[in-house]
Amino acid sequence: MQFKRPDQIRQAPSQDEVPPGQFVTDKFPVLTFGATPQIDLEKWRLRIFGLVEREVELSWQEFEDIPKTVVEAPFHCVTQWSRLGNTWEGLLFTELASLVQPKLEANFVMVHCYGDYSANLPLDVLMDGLALLAHKHDGALLTPQHGWPLRLVVPQRYGWKSAKWVQAIEFMAADRPGFWEARGYHNNGDYWKEERFWPELMG
Ligand SMILES: Nc1nc2c(c(=O)[nH]1)N[C@H]1C(S)=C(S)[C@@H](COP(=O)(O)O)O[C@H]1N2
Ligand SMILES: [Mo]
């Protein structure tokens, strides 16, 4: 694998600012729809497919061997709690993209999870240099409830886009709603704009 070692810490902008309608907690609540999936690392695979030059399927061993980056970022859940100063470690999305080489037509991404969950994002949000596939939080491996072995972290969007237990990443030409985006959550989810729910549901 021809990753350069990023070997650096990146920090999200506006680290200590709290977006409108949020309150800060030191806790790290678990927000999961349904049960925590049971995952066997031996059978675990991360599949990257769709509009890419090279589809890739990584085993856990292969994922471990790829150099990692640390990203410091706040986490803002749409249910209004914010946890500031999280340290995530993992594979930057930009590095993953360089491995598969998205085609020019690829403008959106669907993240598919173990269990019945998905989240959609524009490719440019994932390419912001902060979004990553994290296996560690605050120096320790993720716990099962927080997405072990691997979760997406999208520092610039509400937490429901940070899909836990990632199984596959699909590059797409056209957008498609993910699990919550099809059930009333805003398609974009920018916390600075309070994009919480479908505009037509807002009074
Ligand atoms: N697979 C999966 N990922 C998920 C969820 C989920 O229910 N299933 N919940 C989302 C929501 S709403 C939030 S706020 C964050 C919470 O992450 P945490 O449980 O690690 O705090 O995970 C997101 N990722
Ligand atoms: Mo959430």
Side-chain angles (χ1 to χ4, degrees), residues 28-62:
F28 191 15
V30 171
L31 263 279
T32 302
F33 184 89
T36 295
Q38 305 258 319
I39 295 173
D40 176 352
L41 266 197
E42 293 293 315
K43 295 188 191 134
W44 180 92
R45 295 289 182 277
L46 174 63
R47 180 174 169 234
I48 307 150
F49 70 105
L51 296 174
V52 293
E53 296 298 339
R54 197 163 85 89
E55 294 196 350
V56 166
E57 200 177 85
L58 296 175
S59 67
W60 184 254
Q61 185 62 58
E62 287 166 324

Side-chain angles (χ1 to χ4, degrees), residues 28-34 37 75-79 81 88 113-118 145-147 151 158-166 179-180 185:
F28 191 15
V30 171
L31 263 279
T32 302
F33 184 89
F75 195 86
H76 305 295
C77 174
V78 72
T79 62
W81 57 268
W88 302 101
C113 301
Y114 289 89
D116 195 10
Y117 194 85
S118 58
Q145 291 176 317
H146 285 298
R151 75 178 297 166
Y158 281 122
W160 83 79
K161 301 270 188 190
S162 290
K164 301 188 278 193
W165 312 293
V166 173
F179 181 87
W180 281 123
Y185 282 21

Side-chain angles (χ1 to χ4, degrees), residues 119-152:
N120 61 310
L121 286 145
L123 181 55
D124 60 1
V125 172
L126 289 168
M127 296 294 280
D128 68 354
L130 295 170
L132 79 165
L133 288 153
H135 63 306
K136 286 188 182 178
H137 175 261
D138 287 356
L141 287 175
L142 293 175
T143 61
Q145 291 176 317
H146 285 298
W148 177 91
L150 193 66
R151 75 178 297 166
L152 180 67

